[in-house]
Amino acid sequence: VKFANRINLPFLAINRGHGSVSALGTFKYGVLIKLDNLTSIDIAADGESAVLGGGVYSDLLLATLAKKNKVAGYAGLMGDNILEMDVVTANGSEITVSESSNPDLYWAMRGAGQNFGIVTKFRYRIFEYPNGQDIFHATYHFTEDQLEILFEHLNGLINNGTLPRDVNAYVVLRSKPLISPRPVFVYHFYYFGTSEQALPYTQTILSLNPISISNATFPYKDVSHRSFQASIGDPTCAAGISTKTRFPVGVKSYNVSTNRKIYDLFEDMITAHPALTTSFVQFEAFPMQAVKAVDPASTAYAHRHDDILVFVSPLYPFALLIPQATQKKYYNYHMLTHPRSHQGILHAVSSVPSQRSHSHKIRSSSAAAFRPRRFADAIECLFKLRQWR
């Protein structure tokens, strides 16, 4: 930081790159400060907290804590569970931020956004596993004619922010043509425990007559990969995935008639713009008891009264936007720098849509002449192409 200031260059700290704020793309000709090597995890003797390096990521944290029968993030907001931080400020000073040291920053850094400083280490509250280390995950699909009964059920389950502490329930509106020609609601139900313990909830969901069901029980430490394909090495976390920023709207309960209008707008959007077919709308609900137990004035987070979050995530494939000449330019560069990658780069986008009705359009594009060695390579190449362009 001091070096960047001395030569008058901007700087940006990055951990794993899970950022979709468009302003990140404006950072050029500066100093990138990577925190990847700051991955220490030291569990306190009392087992109530752990000191984490600024480069720790969720897979690493959950796997390490599981060895001690501990878990992170079980109750409350992430910011609520931060007890102390070592921070490098914009002028290169090293300070401690906590309730007793720089309390104004401690208030602000837990809810008022980014750019207050670079966190190199922090002490984080951890928990005992509540019902063993397994989590039960069930996925149910509902068609548009079941919209009303689905969200009425969810309103009853959430019940003004009293969703049971071991339950997580969220719904994704998305296109799944192998299940239905029209967009469907994918209901993800999680229970911190076994399928038997979850029966009082799953039997109620089954009474709503979902059109398809799948479920699995697995260690919670694997939840990112098993549920979302969002772990290190998974396509969802590959560099360069194109998504617009998802700022949610917070509500107290679902307005069923409004959700019907959202459905109609979403269907109209992906029908008029097939390249957006992999986009989705997410309706999230979490147990809120620990969130609401915190004094609202103690942090900068201003939305403790919101029991539900709703956001739209438009997704589109890069290759449809990249000229063939640019593809060939980077292909030649890639073959020189990656000689073992004899299969080329760019057929990745045909793997992105799951929709048969539109995938043929992507395969017939100019990108079809190239084939990736692996999906992650192709995504990396697409990201660099975007910069070259």
Side-chain angles (χ1 to χ4, degrees), residues 198-219:
L199 274 177
Y201 304 100
T202 56
Q203 288 176 337
T204 301
I205 300 171
L206 289 174
S207 71
L208 304 178
N209 297 317
I211 60 172
S212 71
I213 305 165
S214 62
N215 60 70
T217 301
F218 47 83

Side-chain angles (χ1 to χ4, degrees), residues 19-60:
S20 56
V21 178
S22 59
L24 290 173
T26 66
F27 179 79
K28 296 178 180 178
Y29 310 113
V31 177
L32 186 66
I33 302 173
K34 300 190 71 175
L35 306 179
D36 295 21
N37 292 329
L38 303 181
T39 55
S40 60
I41 300 174
D42 298 311
I43 300 174
D46 63 6
E48 299 295 319
S49 65
V51 176
L52 314 179
V56 168
Y57 54 96
S58 61
D59 289 355
L60 175 62

Side-chain angles (χ1 to χ4, degrees), residues 327-346 370-373 381 388:
Q327 294 175 16
K328 289 182 177 179
K329 181 179 179 181
Y330 189 73
Y331 174 76
N332 293 332
Y333 166 81
H334 182 76
M335 294 303 287
L336 287 172
T337 57
H338 297 76
R340 294 179 63 187
S341 180
H342 61 278
Q343 298 179 54
I345 322 170
L346 268 184
F370 305 99
R371 296 291 188 271
R373 178 163 54 95
C381 296
W388 278 32

Side-chain angles (χ1 to χ4, degrees), residues 262-295:
I262 291 173
Y263 181 94
D264 293 340
L265 287 169
F266 178 80
E267 185 174 39
D268 290 345
M269 178 188 78
I270 63 173
T271 300
H273 306 284
L276 294 173
T277 303
T278 54
S279 303
F280 59 89
V281 182
Q282 189 150 318
F283 306 82
E284 292 187 343
F286 302 93
M288 296 294 291
Q289 292 88 336
V291 176
K292 294 184 177 182
V294 174
D295 179 4

Side-chain angles (χ1 to χ4, degrees), residues 184-361:
V184 298
F185 293 98
V186 186
Y187 181 178
H188 292 272
F189 175 87
Y190 293 87
Y191 186 85
F192 229 134
T194 66
S195 58
E196 291 77 15
Q197 292 170 317
L199 274 177
Y201 304 100
T202 56
Q203 288 176 337
T204 301
I205 300 171
L206 289 174
S207 71
L208 304 178
N209 297 317
I211 60 172
S212 71
I213 305 165
S214 62
N215 60 70
T217 301
F218 47 83
Y220 181 73
K221 67 182 180 64
D222 299 330
V223 67
S224 294
H225 172 67
R226 294 288 299 269
S227 296
F228 316 110
Q229 288 291 295
S231 292
I232 297 297
D234 286 335
T236 306
C237 286
I241 287 289
S242 180
T243 177
K244 292 299 183 183
T245 303
R246 307 178 297 272
F247 290 119
V249 174
V251 296
K252 294 290 293 179
S253 62
Y254 290 119
N255 184 309
V256 177
S257 60
T258 297
N259 287 358
R260 170 61 67 181
K261 293 177 182 178
I262 291 173
Y263 181 94
D264 293 340
L265 287 169
F266 178 80
E267 185 174 39
D268 290 345
M269 178 188 78
I270 63 173
T271 300
H273 306 284
L276 294 173
T277 303
T278 54
S279 303
F280 59 89
V281 182
Q282 189 150 318
F283 306 82
E284 292 187 343
F286 302 93
M288 296 294 291
Q289 292 88 336
V291 176
K292 294 184 177 182
V294 174
D295 179 4
S298 66
T299 76
Y301 183 69
H303 306 285
R304 293 185 186 274
H305 59 283
D306 292 335
D307 298 329
I308 298 166
L309 300 178
V310 182
F311 63 83
V312 181
S313 185
L315 299 169
Y316 56 88
F318 281 157
L320 297 181
L321 310 176
I322 300 174
Q324 186 174 14
T326 306
Q327 294 175 16
K328 289 182 177 179
K329 181 179 179 181
Y330 189 73
Y331 174 76
N332 293 332
Y333 166 81
H334 182 76
M335 294 303 287
L336 287 172
T337 57
H338 297 76
R340 294 179 63 187
S341 180
H342 61 278
Q343 298 179 54
I345 322 170
L346 268 184
H347 196 50
V349 178
S350 64
S351 303
V352 176
S354 58
Q355 292 72 24
R356 290 180 176 176
S357 57
H358 303 306
S359 60
H360 71 280
K361 297 180 182 178

Side-chain angles (χ1 to χ4, degrees), residues 59-106:
D59 289 355
L60 175 62
L61 177 60
L62 292 177
T64 302
L65 294 181
K67 296 175 183 178
K68 301 292 185 179
N69 198 40
K70 296 290 183 177
V71 67
Y74 175 62
L77 299 172
M78 293 179 67
D80 295 339
N81 290 313
I82 295 175
L83 305 173
E84 184 177 280
M85 293 171 272
D86 288 355
V87 178
V88 177
T89 63
N91 65 5
S93 300
E94 299 176 69
I95 62 173
T96 298
V97 176
S98 67
E99 191 172 13
S100 59
S101 176
N102 296 293
D104 53 343
L105 273 179
Y106 186 60

